[in-house]
């Protein structure tokens, strides 16, 4: 072979190696930045022991001719669970903890509700984010963080094949507080929850404590 071509081959190989190394460092740097941002976001969210917010939820499904929309109030009690109070177009209160989901009627009576597959992992992930338990979150999900602490986006992909068969991914958006949750299921169902008027919850009522199993 002509020495000129052998020289070109050597130059191309060297450039390829340098390009690979540069891309590797770029990927590692991007991962480190994403990890740093994720830890900063979790630290910020975990400063609030309990929050209240108004929500609007839109659910779309291939089985539905049009999206279903509901609205109401929610309460996140860090480390204990969530109260989901639907006010429109019907009234219903659900209490979700790491152990159970119950429906609460107007008289305060509770009835156990069987969780759909994937719901338990979603609830645990949200609790992990709000309590700063990042190790548990990353054990179950691959997490990608984008943006800044002031305005961020988190993308969660399930690691467990059993969960991944049902749940495609979850996206969280927020700033000081969580502002939006989007859940995509493998069957094409999409749930989009927008939160407004988010604030520190203040003291919980006796009924709220009872629903969440607090003393």
């Amino acid at each position: 072979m002509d020495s000129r071509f052998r020289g070109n081959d050597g130059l191309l190989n060297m450039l390829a190696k340098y390009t690979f190394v540069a891309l590797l460092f770029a990927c590692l740097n991007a991962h480190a930045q994403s990890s740093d941002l994720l830890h900063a976001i979790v630290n910020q969210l975990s400063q609030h022991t309990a929050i209240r917010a108004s929500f609007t939820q839109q659910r779309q499904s291939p089985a539905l001719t049009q999206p279903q929309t509901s609205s109401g109030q929610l309460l996140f009690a860090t480390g204990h669970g969530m109260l989901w109070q639907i006010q429109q177009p019907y009234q219903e209160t659900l209490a979700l903890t790491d152990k159970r989901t119950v429906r609460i009627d107007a008289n305060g009576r509770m009835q156990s509700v069987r969780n759909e597959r994937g719901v338990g992992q979603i609830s645990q992930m949200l609790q992990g984010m709000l309590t700063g338990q990042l190790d548990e979150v990353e054990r179950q999900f691959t997490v990608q963080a984008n943006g800044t602490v002031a305005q961020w986006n988190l993308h969660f992909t399930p690691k467990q094949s059993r969960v991944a068969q049902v749940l495609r991914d979850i996206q969280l958006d927020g700033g000081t507080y969580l502002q939006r949750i989007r859940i995509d299921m493998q069957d094409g169902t999409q749930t989009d929850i927008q939160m407004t008027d988010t604030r520190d919850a203040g003291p919980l009522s006796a009924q709220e404590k009872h629903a969440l199993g607090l003393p």
Side-chain angles (χ1 to χ4, degrees):
M1 181 182 291
D2 192 303
S3 61
R4 290 176 300 172
F5 292 103
R6 288 198 298 270
N8 286 340
D9 285 345
L11 178 61
L12 289 173
N13 287 334
M14 183 175 68
L15 288 174
K17 291 177 181 178
Y18 277 122
T19 301
F20 172 76
V21 171
L23 288 173
L24 178 60
F25 274 110
C27 290
L28 290 173
N29 186 51
H31 177 74
Q33 290 177 347
S34 176
S35 179
D36 289 344
L37 176 59
L38 177 59
H39 281 80
I41 292 168
V42 170
N43 181 64
Q44 179 170 265
L45 291 176
S46 64
Q47 301 303 310
H48 308 281
T49 57
I51 61 170
R52 299 183 191 274
S54 301
F55 75 85
T56 300
Q57 173 181 283
Q58 186 176 80
R59 182 173 179 270
Q60 301 183 67
S61 170
L64 300 173
T65 56
Q66 60 183 12
Q68 293 179 334
T69 302
S70 58
S71 61
Q73 303 291 318
L74 61 84
L75 165 68
F76 278 111
T78 304
H80 300 290
M82 177 175 69
L83 280 182
W84 188 263
Q85 185 179 11
I86 301 171
Q87 297 172 329
Q88 296 290 339
Y90 57 90
Q91 294 190 357
E92 181 179 73
T93 300
L94 297 174
L96 296 89
T97 70
D98 60 346
K99 296 180 180 179
R100 61 175 185 166
T101 298
V102 297
R103 180 179 290 111
I104 306 170
D105 66 20
N107 297 316
R109 291 190 295 264
M110 299 184 184
Q111 179 183 3
S112 294
V113 177
R114 189 173 72 88
N115 277 337
E116 297 179 11
R117 290 164 60 191
V119 172
Q121 283 74 16
I122 295 170
S123 179
Q124 290 175 17
M125 180 272 290
L126 290 173
Q127 283 297 318
M129 291 293 297
L130 294 171
T131 57
Q133 297 175 350
L134 192 54
D135 289 346
E136 179 61 23
V137 174
E138 292 186 311
R139 187 178 68 81
Q140 298 196 45
F141 293 91
T142 298
V143 189
Q144 178 66 42
N146 297 290
T148 66
V149 176
Q151 194 64 50
W152 47 263
N153 168 269
L154 300 177
H155 183 264
F156 299 79
T157 305
K159 290 182 176 179
Q160 299 176 7
S161 59
R162 179 178 59 85
V163 178
Q165 290 175 359
V166 180
L167 174 65
R168 180 176 298 168
D169 58 37
I170 303 169
Q171 290 190 59
L172 304 183
D173 296 297
T176 302
Y177 296 102
L178 180 61
Q179 299 169 347
R180 180 183 180 223
I181 304 171
R182 174 169 171 160
I183 303 166
D184 288 282
M185 309 300 284
Q186 292 289 4
D187 65 359
T189 300
Q190 296 179 344
T191 302
D192 197 324
I193 306 166
Q194 300 277 352
M195 283 166 278
T196 58
D197 191 28
T198 307
R199 60 206 183 273
D200 285 312
L204 274 60
S205 69
Q207 185 177 8
E208 289 171 338
K209 290 180 179 179
H210 178 63
L212 295 173
L214 295 171

